[in-house]
Amino acid sequence: MKRIRLWGLLWMSFFLELQDVAKSREDKYELIEGQTLEVDCPFNVQMYQSSQKEWQKLREGKEPLTLARTENNSGQTNQVQVGRYFLEDIPMEGLLLVRMTDLRQEDSGLYQCAIYQPPKEPLMLHHLVRLVVKKDPASDSNSTESVTEIPTVSPTTTKARSKLPISPSTVTQPWSTSTVSLSSPDLRVNSTHGTGVIRISPISIITMAVCGILTKSLVFTVLLVVTQRSFGL
């Protein structure tokens, strides 16, 4: 009897150690939004063939959240669907199939397959499942293309030009003067640029008048002689 009890304690401790090892191990799945998670959870056919199975999400500091649970069966395949969660219990193969569709980022977390055995706590069947759901990069690119970019015009600051003070300035331009001298008897003409002044001496005026009279007299005499000859006088 003592040996049987001892062996029973050894098997129990061994089983608990295996369960702790299974709990410490995680299978990680990294998927994108909209994809489907598929997990296979094997179980002992002899022990849990007719037991109800669960798909649970573990929450820190809280009891596991049951998302879906199979019904009692008599060794036949059992299927159940709750929203996006689908369970298929295949007792003949000792396998529980789990499927989560249309994944979302908030689905990320820690999950487990478990045996439902009230009033006892659920018994984990297989390794923990770490699910990481990432955002679809294609949706980001599409949303970026659908947004019309509005060019941003930086405000331009126009500074008023200060008026330069106009100081009165006096421009003095020297007048260049040139003197033209005409060499003629008693005749002298002085020309100054800017002030045209012609100075003639009285003697020159008298000389010019006399020359004019003599010239007229000479012309008149010549005409008179030509006229007389033409009339034969």
Side-chain angles (χ1 to χ4, degrees):
M1 290 295 294
K2 291 183 179 179
R3 289 183 180 180
I4 294 175
R5 290 179 180 177
L6 181 59
W7 279 108
L9 291 174
L10 289 175
W11 276 111
M12 185 177 293
S13 61
F14 179 72
F15 179 77
L16 292 175
E17 287 180 1
L18 287 179
Q19 189 174 6
D20 292 338
V21 171
K23 286 184 178 179
S24 62
R25 181 176 175 181
E26 296 181 359
D27 292 337
K28 189 174 182 181
Y29 294 81
E30 292 186 359
L31 298 173
I32 298 175
E33 282 184 326
Q35 291 184 340
T36 300
L37 170 67
E38 295 183 352
V39 180
D40 297 339
C41 297
F43 60 85
N44 191 315
V45 176
Q46 295 180 356
M47 295 179 62
Y48 307 115
Q49 182 177 2
S50 300
S51 300
Q52 290 180 271
K53 284 82 175 178
E54 295 180 323
W55 176 245
Q56 296 179 326
K57 184 175 184 179
L58 303 182
R59 300 177 296 177
E60 186 175 358
K62 298 180 181 179
E63 293 183 358
L65 176 63
T66 301
L67 302 173
R69 181 187 298 141
T70 63
E71 302 294 336
N72 291 324
N73 59 64
S74 56
Q76 300 297 323
T77 300
N78 184 12
Q79 296 180 352
V80 62
Q81 183 173 0
V82 180
R84 299 183 295 120
Y85 311 101
F86 175 81
L87 301 181
E88 183 177 4
D89 185 8
I90 310 176
M92 299 301 294
E93 298 181 9
L95 194 63
L96 175 66
L97 302 179
V98 181
R99 187 180 300 116
M100 286 178 59
T101 61
D102 192 19
L103 292 177
R104 306 162 187 170
Q105 280 190 301
E106 54 267 26
D107 292 331
S108 299
L110 198 61
Y111 296 82
Q112 69 175 6
C113 296
I115 297 295
Y116 178 65
Q117 51 181 9
K120 297 180 181 179
E121 293 183 359
L123 177 65
M124 187 177 68
L125 284 179
H126 194 50
H127 306 146
L128 295 175
V129 176
R130 174 74 65 179
L131 175 62
V132 179
V133 182
K134 299 180 179 180
K135 195 170 184 179
D136 187 3
S139 62
D140 291 341
S141 61
N142 292 335
S143 61
T144 303
E145 291 176 359
S146 62
V147 176
T148 304
E149 296 184 357
I150 301 176
T152 303
V153 180
S154 57
T156 57
T157 304
T158 305
K159 296 183 179 179
R161 295 183 178 179
S162 59
K163 295 183 178 180
L164 296 176
I166 301 175
S167 58
S169 58
T170 303
V171 180
T172 305
Q173 182 176 359
W175 290 85
S176 58
T177 58
S178 61
T179 303
V180 180
S181 300
L182 298 177
S183 298
S184 60
D186 298 328
L187 179 61
R188 183 177 182 182
V189 179
N190 293 329
S191 176
T192 303
H193 288 286
T195 56
V197 178
I198 301 175
R199 294 179 180 180
I200 302 176
S201 60
I203 298 175
S204 299
I205 293 174
I206 296 171
T207 304
M208 291 176 62
V210 172
C211 290
I213 293 171
L214 292 177
T215 302
K216 289 181 179 182
S217 300
L218 180 60
V219 171
F220 180 76
T221 302
V222 171
L223 289 175
L224 181 60
V225 171
V226 172
T227 301
Q228 290 178 353
R229 287 183 179 182
S230 61
F231 285 98
L233 295 177

